[in-house]
Amino acid sequence: MSSLEKRAWLALWSQCPPYVVYFLIQAECPMWLTTFLERIACLAAVASVHAIAYLVGLMLLKRKERGEELLLDERDRAIDARATRVAYFVMLTGMIVVGVVMPFSDTGWKITNTALFAIVLAETVRYVLIVVSYRRMPRLAH
């Protein structure tokens, strides 16, 4: 498994579980978080878990890769470009919904959580496409 694929797996495993818990709490138990401070604390806790898990995993990967340089070839660049391009359109669609459609019918935390969901979804799509692309047979063009 290449270093770039390992980093994509790390990003998925450090990001998805905390945010799945966050969005489940928001969807299923909104009465748990009623004040601004409670909502910010929950979001900060989730973001902290994500950041700590990613940083610890990255330090472990760096320790294993000690002495090796992270070299990108054309295939790596093509995989990253394709994944980034698709994720960009996912995020663009989400931000259009949040910024153009939702302000006419929704306010406050619903808009905030929808924007956060669009960002997390775009990042998840990007890393899933990277992992899937490394698992498939190499192609010569995007």
Side-chain angles (χ1 to χ4, degrees):
M1 185 181 311
S2 78
S3 294
L4 298 170
E5 183 182 356
K6 288 178 189 175
R7 288 168 195 239
W9 277 113
L10 170 63
L12 282 171
W13 283 110
S14 67
Q15 174 182 293
C16 291
Y19 284 105
V20 165
V21 169
Y22 176 78
F23 290 120
L24 281 175
I25 289 171
Q26 296 297 321
E28 299 298 321
C29 306
M31 61 286 206
W32 287 0
L33 308 170
T34 56
T35 67
F36 178 78
L37 191 57
E38 289 173 345
R39 290 175 181 268
I40 289 294
C42 181
L43 183 56
V46 168
S48 297
V49 168
H50 173 208
I52 291 167
Y54 184 79
L55 291 173
V56 168
L58 187 60
M59 287 185 338
L60 293 173
L61 282 178
K62 291 263 189 192
R63 178 180 277 176
K64 278 185 174 181
E65 297 169 351
R66 190 173 294 159
E68 297 176 23
E69 283 194 39
L70 187 62
L71 299 174
L72 295 171
D73 61 9
E74 290 79 19
R75 179 175 180 239
D76 297 322
R77 287 186 187 95
I79 287 171
D80 186 62
R82 178 177 173 266
T84 302
R85 188 171 39 255
V86 173
Y88 168 78
F89 286 107
V90 170
M91 186 157 43
L92 183 65
T93 303
M95 292 300 113
I96 288 172
V97 169
V98 168
V100 177
V101 177
M102 288 184 75
F104 294 108
S105 61
D106 299 302
T107 61
W109 280 98
K110 189 163 185 181
I111 291 176
T112 302
N113 285 328
T114 305
L116 180 62
F117 180 76
I119 293 166
V120 170
L121 181 63
E123 282 296 297
T124 302
V125 166
R126 180 174 181 262
Y127 292 123
V128 166
L129 287 175
I130 289 172
V131 167
V132 167
S133 295
Y134 276 109
R135 297 290 172 164
R136 280 197 280 161
M137 293 298 295
R139 298 186 319 182
L140 298 176
H142 329 223

